[in-house]
């Protein structure tokens, strides 16, 4: 791989990575959702390196990752009761909460917003790294801005090779789709990004949640800009499951199928099946790796089969649509 990649299951790796963070460097590390590109969340110079490495616009704020609840007060000025109940239920886990920020969090990390995005990842390596570094870690997904998020250390090398001080290889991410982002900084709870924790699960704890309209999304969450998570190859989302397109013979076309497709022998150049049995968790886990695989083949087009938009299917369809929106 050429880059400094260390196996994450060794204590020395974590110690070294924590030193890099404390010294203001960049460490890519696994979380349960996707790999993050981490830096000391309280060091503005370190945060500047993250934006530089990703070519990320500075109006797009970062998520601050914590090792445990005792770190919340370092970065959050106040935590509404609804946020506390969600933390009790879903942390550690793929739920990012937007709350008022402490002045200690640099403006660059929050893009000048009075709020901060926080979560405790449900991944032992991520939490050991934060604990060992003794500071919250700001980390966006470890991919160049706008591209598909990484779910393996190899994906990180492919996109950011040479721009990261150290990559902790903890194997493939078990969940595969980014965290759900919920703002609790306004009058009513608002979903800013669907993710791997379902909206249904959140509403079961705190009641109705507003959904950001697409206009509001582009203001609040730049990472939600229409064409994000995008492949280089054009993607078309099919109108319904198992409804295959009429293909022109000269086109090299790939299919991203939700489950094992039937009767399509020879139609597509390549088929990637997200879950043979149509299990949404399995599909989410394989989604980004499958998109990257298809994207590497230099196809003319990728057709993506849709899934039902409930539960985890909401986040999967959100990512597919953002991949498919024309630039
Ligand atoms: O699962 C995840 O959330 C992964 C892992 C590494 O934790 N992280 C991730 O980060 O997906 P990123 O930077 O790719 O997406 C974070 C999103 C961005 O779209 C950003 O705009 C939004 O969070 N965000 C961060 N702080 C915010 C704030 N104060 N208010 C509103 N949105 C915020
Ligand atoms: Mg991202």
């Amino acid at each position: 791989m050429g880059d400094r990649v260390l196996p994450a299951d060794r204590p020395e790796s974590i110690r070294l990575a924590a030193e890099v963070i404390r010294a203001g460097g960049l460490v890519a590390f696994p979380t349960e959702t996707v790999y993050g590109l981490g830096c000391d969340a309280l060091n503005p110079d370190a945060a500047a390196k993250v934006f530089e490495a990703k070519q990320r616009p500075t109006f797009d704020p970062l998520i601050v990752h914590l090792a445990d609840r005792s770190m919340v007060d370092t970065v959050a000025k106040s935590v509404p009761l609804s946020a506390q109940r969600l933390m009790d239920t879903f942390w550690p886990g793929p739920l990012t909460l937007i709350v008022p920020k402490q002045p200690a969090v640099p403006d660059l990390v929050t893009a000048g917003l009075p709020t901060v995005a926080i979560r405790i990842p449900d991944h032992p390596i991520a939490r050991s790294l934060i604990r060992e570094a003794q500071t919250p870690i700001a980390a966006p997904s470890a991919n160049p801005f706008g591209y598909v998020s990484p779910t393996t250390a190899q994906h990180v090398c492919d996109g950011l090779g040479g721009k990261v001080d150290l990559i902790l290889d903890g194997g493939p991410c078990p969940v595969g789709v980014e965290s759900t982002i919920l703002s609790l900084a306004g009058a009513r709870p608002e979903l800013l990004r669907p993710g791997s924790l379902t909206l249904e699960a959140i509403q079961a704890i705190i009641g109705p949640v507003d959904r950001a309209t697409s206009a509001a999304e582009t203001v609040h969450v730049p990472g939600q800009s229409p064409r994000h998570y995008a492949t280089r190859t054009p993607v078309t989302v099919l109108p319904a499951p198992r409804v295959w397109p009429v293909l022109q013979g000269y086109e090299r076309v790939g299919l991203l199928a939700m489950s094992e497709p039937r009767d399509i022998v020879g139609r597509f150049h390549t088929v990637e099946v997200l879950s043979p049995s149509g299990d949404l968790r399995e599909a989410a886990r394989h989604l980004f790796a499958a998109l990257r695989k298809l994207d590497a083949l230099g196809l003319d087009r990728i057709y993506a089969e849709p899934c039902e938009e409930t539960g985890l299917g909401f986040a999967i369809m959100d990512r597919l649509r953002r991949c498919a929106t024309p630039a």
Side-chain angles (χ1 to χ4, degrees), residues 98-128:
I98 310 287
V99 293
K101 87 172 186 88
Q102 286 285 12
V105 184
D107 280 337
L108 187 56
V109 169
T110 62
L113 294 169
T115 54
V116 62
I118 52 175
R119 84 177 188 100
I120 299 180
D122 187 16
H123 198 296
I125 289 159
R127 289 206 304 279
S128 326

Short mmCIF file of all heavy atoms in Angstrom, two decimals, residues 98-128:
data_model
loop_
_atom_site.label_atom_id
_atom_site.label_comp_id
_atom_site.label_asym_id
_atom_site.label_seq_id
_atom_site.Cartn_x
_atom_site.Cartn_y
_atom_site.Cartn_z
N ILE A 98 -26.41 16.96 17.09
CA ILE A 98 -25.97 18.35 16.96
C ILE A 98 -26.48 19.11 18.18
O ILE A 98 -27.69 19.17 18.41
CB ILE A 98 -26.54 19.02 15.69
CG1 ILE A 98 -26.32 18.15 14.45
CG2 ILE A 98 -26.00 20.43 15.50
CD1 ILE A 98 -24.94 18.07 13.93
N VAL A 99 -25.53 19.65 18.95
CA VAL A 99 -25.88 20.37 20.19
C VAL A 99 -25.05 21.66 20.26
O VAL A 99 -24.06 21.79 19.54
CB VAL A 99 -25.58 19.48 21.43
CG1 VAL A 99 -26.51 18.28 21.48
CG2 VAL A 99 -24.12 19.03 21.46
N PRO A 100 -25.43 22.61 21.14
CA PRO A 100 -24.64 23.84 21.26
C PRO A 100 -23.19 23.54 21.66
O PRO A 100 -22.95 22.62 22.44
CB PRO A 100 -25.37 24.61 22.37
CG PRO A 100 -26.75 24.07 22.36
CD PRO A 100 -26.64 22.63 21.98
N LYS A 101 -22.24 24.28 21.13
CA LYS A 101 -20.83 23.93 21.33
C LYS A 101 -20.14 24.74 22.43
O LYS A 101 -20.58 25.85 22.76
CB LYS A 101 -20.06 24.09 20.02
CG LYS A 101 -19.52 25.48 19.76
CD LYS A 101 -18.62 25.46 18.53
CE LYS A 101 -17.92 26.80 18.32
NZ LYS A 101 -16.65 26.93 19.01
N GLN A 102 -19.08 24.19 22.95
CA GLN A 102 -18.19 24.90 23.88
C GLN A 102 -17.22 25.74 23.07
O GLN A 102 -16.82 25.34 21.97
CB GLN A 102 -17.34 23.88 24.68
CG GLN A 102 -18.07 23.13 25.76
CD GLN A 102 -18.34 23.99 26.99
OE1 GLN A 102 -18.17 25.22 26.96
NE2 GLN A 102 -18.77 23.35 28.06
N PRO A 103 -16.78 26.88 23.63
CA PRO A 103 -15.80 27.71 22.92
C PRO A 103 -14.49 26.96 22.64
O PRO A 103 -13.77 27.32 21.70
CB PRO A 103 -15.55 28.88 23.89
CG PRO A 103 -16.69 28.87 24.84
CD PRO A 103 -17.25 27.50 24.90
N ALA A 104 -14.18 25.93 23.41
CA ALA A 104 -12.94 25.17 23.20
C ALA A 104 -12.87 24.50 21.83
O ALA A 104 -11.78 24.19 21.35
CB ALA A 104 -12.80 24.10 24.29
N VAL A 105 -14.03 24.27 21.21
CA VAL A 105 -14.02 23.64 19.89
C VAL A 105 -13.72 24.71 18.84
O VAL A 105 -14.45 25.69 18.73
CB VAL A 105 -15.38 22.97 19.58
CG1 VAL A 105 -15.32 22.24 18.24
CG2 VAL A 105 -15.79 22.03 20.70
N PRO A 106 -12.63 24.53 18.07
CA PRO A 106 -12.25 25.57 17.10
C PRO A 106 -13.35 25.80 16.06
O PRO A 106 -14.06 24.87 15.67
CB PRO A 106 -11.01 24.99 16.42
CG PRO A 106 -10.54 23.87 17.27
CD PRO A 106 -11.72 23.38 18.05
N ASP A 107 -13.45 27.04 15.59
CA ASP A 107 -14.45 27.40 14.58
C ASP A 107 -14.31 26.58 13.31
O ASP A 107 -15.28 26.28 12.64
CB ASP A 107 -14.35 28.90 14.24
CG ASP A 107 -15.04 29.74 15.29
OD1 ASP A 107 -15.92 29.21 16.00
OD2 ASP A 107 -14.69 30.93 15.41
N LEU A 108 -13.08 26.23 12.97
CA LEU A 108 -12.86 25.47 11.74
C LEU A 108 -13.58 24.12 11.81
O LEU A 108 -14.15 23.66 10.83
CB LEU A 108 -11.35 25.26 11.53
CG LEU A 108 -10.94 24.63 10.21
CD1 LEU A 108 -11.46 25.43 9.03
CD2 LEU A 108 -9.41 24.52 10.13
N VAL A 109 -13.57 23.50 12.99
CA VAL A 109 -14.20 22.18 13.16
C VAL A 109 -15.70 22.27 12.94
O VAL A 109 -16.30 21.37 12.34
CB VAL A 109 -13.87 21.60 14.57
CG1 VAL A 109 -14.72 20.38 14.88
CG2 VAL A 109 -12.39 21.26 14.66
N THR A 110 -16.31 23.36 13.40
CA THR A 110 -17.77 23.49 13.29
C THR A 110 -18.17 24.43 12.15
O THR A 110 -19.34 24.81 12.06
CB THR A 110 -18.37 24.01 14.61
OG1 THR A 110 -17.85 25.31 14.87
CG2 THR A 110 -18.04 23.10 15.77
N ALA A 111 -17.22 24.81 11.34
CA ALA A 111 -17.46 25.74 10.22
C ALA A 111 -18.14 27.02 10.70
O ALA A 111 -19.04 27.54 10.04
CB ALA A 111 -18.29 25.05 9.13
N GLY A 112 -17.72 27.47 11.87
CA GLY A 112 -18.25 28.73 12.40
C GLY A 112 -19.64 28.63 12.99
O GLY A 112 -20.19 29.62 13.47
N LEU A 113 -20.22 27.43 13.00
CA LEU A 113 -21.57 27.27 13.56
C LEU A 113 -21.49 27.32 15.09
O LEU A 113 -20.45 26.98 15.68
CB LEU A 113 -22.17 25.94 13.13
CG LEU A 113 -22.48 25.77 11.64
CD1 LEU A 113 -22.82 24.32 11.33
CD2 LEU A 113 -23.63 26.69 11.24
N PRO A 114 -22.59 27.72 15.75
CA PRO A 114 -22.59 27.73 17.22
C PRO A 114 -22.84 26.33 17.78
O PRO A 114 -22.98 26.16 18.99
CB PRO A 114 -23.76 28.67 17.55
CG PRO A 114 -24.67 28.57 16.36
CD PRO A 114 -23.80 28.30 15.16
N THR A 115 -22.92 25.33 16.91
CA THR A 115 -23.23 23.97 17.34
C THR A 115 -22.07 23.03 17.00
O THR A 115 -21.21 23.36 16.20
CB THR A 115 -24.47 23.45 16.60
OG1 THR A 115 -24.25 23.61 15.19
CG2 THR A 115 -25.72 24.21 17.01
N VAL A 116 -22.10 21.84 17.64
CA VAL A 116 -21.08 20.83 17.35
C VAL A 116 -21.78 19.47 17.16
O VAL A 116 -22.79 19.19 17.81
CB VAL A 116 -20.02 20.77 18.47
CG1 VAL A 116 -20.63 20.38 19.82
CG2 VAL A 116 -18.88 19.82 18.11
N ALA A 117 -21.24 18.67 16.25
CA ALA A 117 -21.77 17.33 15.98
C ALA A 117 -20.95 16.34 16.80
O ALA A 117 -19.72 16.33 16.72
CB ALA A 117 -21.64 17.02 14.49
N ILE A 118 -21.61 15.53 17.62
CA ILE A 118 -20.87 14.59 18.48
C ILE A 118 -21.43 13.17 18.40
O ILE A 118 -22.63 12.97 18.20
CB ILE A 118 -20.89 15.03 19.98
CG1 ILE A 118 -22.31 15.30 20.48
CG2 ILE A 118 -20.01 16.25 20.18
CD1 ILE A 118 -22.39 15.61 21.97
N ARG A 119 -20.51 12.19 18.52
CA ARG A 119 -20.97 10.82 18.67
C ARG A 119 -19.90 9.96 19.32
O ARG A 119 -18.71 10.27 19.25
CB ARG A 119 -21.42 10.22 17.33
CG ARG A 119 -20.33 9.63 16.44
CD ARG A 119 -21.00 9.02 15.19
NE ARG A 119 -20.07 8.26 14.36
CZ ARG A 119 -19.96 6.92 14.35
NH1 ARG A 119 -20.70 6.18 15.18
NH2 ARG A 119 -19.11 6.32 13.54
N ILE A 120 -20.31 8.87 19.97
CA ILE A 120 -19.40 7.85 20.48
C ILE A 120 -19.52 6.65 19.56
O ILE A 120 -20.58 6.02 19.49
CB ILE A 120 -19.75 7.41 21.92
CG1 ILE A 120 -19.66 8.60 22.88
CG2 ILE A 120 -18.82 6.29 22.38
CD1 ILE A 120 -19.99 8.26 24.34
N PRO A 121 -18.44 6.34 18.81
CA PRO A 121 -18.54 5.22 17.86
C PRO A 121 -18.60 3.87 18.57
O PRO A 121 -17.99 3.69 19.64
CB PRO A 121 -17.27 5.34 17.03
CG PRO A 121 -16.36 6.27 17.75
CD PRO A 121 -17.17 7.05 18.74
N ASP A 122 -19.32 2.94 17.96
CA ASP A 122 -19.44 1.60 18.52
C ASP A 122 -18.37 0.70 17.89
O ASP A 122 -18.66 -0.26 17.20
CB ASP A 122 -20.85 1.05 18.23
CG ASP A 122 -21.08 -0.29 18.93
OD1 ASP A 122 -20.30 -0.61 19.84
OD2 ASP A 122 -22.03 -0.98 18.56
N HIS A 123 -17.12 1.09 18.10
CA HIS A 123 -16.01 0.31 17.58
C HIS A 123 -14.88 0.39 18.59
O HIS A 123 -14.43 1.49 18.93
CB HIS A 123 -15.56 0.88 16.22
CG HIS A 123 -14.73 -0.07 15.42
ND1 HIS A 123 -13.49 -0.52 15.84
CD2 HIS A 123 -14.96 -0.69 14.24
CE1 HIS A 123 -13.00 -1.36 14.93
NE2 HIS A 123 -13.89 -1.49 13.96
N PRO A 124 -14.41 -0.76 19.09
CA PRO A 124 -13.42 -0.73 20.17
C PRO A 124 -12.13 -0.01 19.77
O PRO A 124 -11.53 0.67 20.60
CB PRO A 124 -13.14 -2.21 20.46
CG PRO A 124 -13.74 -2.98 19.32
CD PRO A 124 -14.80 -2.12 18.72
N ILE A 125 -11.72 -0.12 18.51
CA ILE A 125 -10.47 0.52 18.09
C ILE A 125 -10.62 2.04 18.10
O ILE A 125 -9.75 2.76 18.59
CB ILE A 125 -10.06 0.01 16.69
CG1 ILE A 125 -9.59 -1.43 16.83
CG2 ILE A 125 -8.97 0.87 16.08
CD1 ILE A 125 -9.63 -2.21 15.56
N ALA A 126 -11.74 2.52 17.59
CA ALA A 126 -11.99 3.96 17.59
C ALA A 126 -11.97 4.50 19.01
O ALA A 126 -11.32 5.51 19.31
CB ALA A 126 -13.33 4.26 16.92
N ARG A 127 -12.66 3.80 19.92
CA ARG A 127 -12.72 4.30 21.29
C ARG A 127 -11.37 4.20 22.00
O ARG A 127 -10.99 5.11 22.75
CB ARG A 127 -13.81 3.58 22.08
CG ARG A 127 -15.23 3.99 21.64
CD ARG A 127 -16.24 3.81 22.76
NE ARG A 127 -16.25 2.47 23.28
CZ ARG A 127 -16.90 1.45 22.71
NH1 ARG A 127 -17.59 1.63 21.60
NH2 ARG A 127 -16.85 0.25 23.25
N SER A 128 -10.60 3.13 21.77
CA SER A 128 -9.26 3.05 22.40
C SER A 128 -8.38 4.17 21.91
O SER A 128 -7.62 4.76 22.67
CB SER A 128 -8.49 1.76 22.10
OG SER A 128 -9.31 0.69 21.97
#
